[in-house]
Amino acid sequence: MSQALHEAGAGGEVVELTTSARTAADAAGALGCSVGAIANSLVFLADGEPVLVLTSGGHRVDPEHTAAALGVEKLTRPNAATVRAATGQPIGGVAPLGHPAHLRTVIDVDLLRYDVVWAAAGTPHTVFPTTYSELLRICDAEPVTVTP
């Protein structure tokens, strides 16, 4: 993941945690930051196509609202095998980049509230610091509101 971050021009370095960061609460506890500053990486199927939604750990994605924001009819959760096939990474550690092929990526505008945002780095024990604007750039992402 370090190489993918470097190639994308990201400024943060991968941090290996001594505890699991499978959930936003776990990551926030390990890092000593607000749960809202954790960028949850959630894969959905947007009309059957994988899309990565990076949302604030303080939010739950509203599928109907987010589907409308994406201009698709239906947003559903895939199984673990589909997530791994789309990202090459396990649920609980999906990074915003470094996937086998580019994924449409959207980022929750609520993450703008934080000077430092922490994102998964490809495993349930690794994260990296970044900013909202850097995430938009390195992921070629779209800003969205994921809750009404």
Side-chain angles (χ1 to χ4, degrees):
M1 182 53 51
S2 292
Q3 182 177 343
L5 288 170
H6 177 73
E7 289 173 0
E13 295 293 326
V14 173
V15 174
E16 187 160 350
L17 302 174
T18 57
T19 61
S20 173
R22 286 184 86 71
T23 68
D26 290 345
L31 293 164
C33 69
S34 166
V35 72
I38 304 299
N40 274 343
S41 298
L42 305 173
V43 176
F44 286 88
L45 295 176
D47 292 343
E49 292 298 318
V51 62
L52 180 61
V53 178
L54 299 175
T55 185
S56 167
H59 278 167
R60 293 190 60 90
V61 173
D62 180 296
E64 291 177 10
H65 177 83
T66 305
L70 296 175
V72 299
E73 285 189 35
K74 192 171 187 178
L75 200 64
T76 58
R77 292 299 299 262
N79 62 32
T82 301
V83 171
R84 185 169 297 261
T87 66
Q89 302 160 357
I91 290 175
V94 173
L97 68 165
H99 310 133
H102 178 74
L103 288 178
R104 180 179 183 190
T105 302
V106 297
I107 304 177
D108 182 1
V109 296
D110 192 61
L111 287 167
L112 270 167
R113 298 187 312 146
Y114 303 94
D115 292 333
V116 176
V117 174
W118 290 89
T123 77
H125 289 89
T126 55
V127 294
F128 70 96
T130 187
T131 64
Y132 185 83
S133 61
E134 183 176 77
L135 274 177
L136 283 173
R137 181 181 54 77
I138 67 175
C139 299
D140 188 27
E142 309 162 50
V144 297
T145 304
V146 299
T147 58

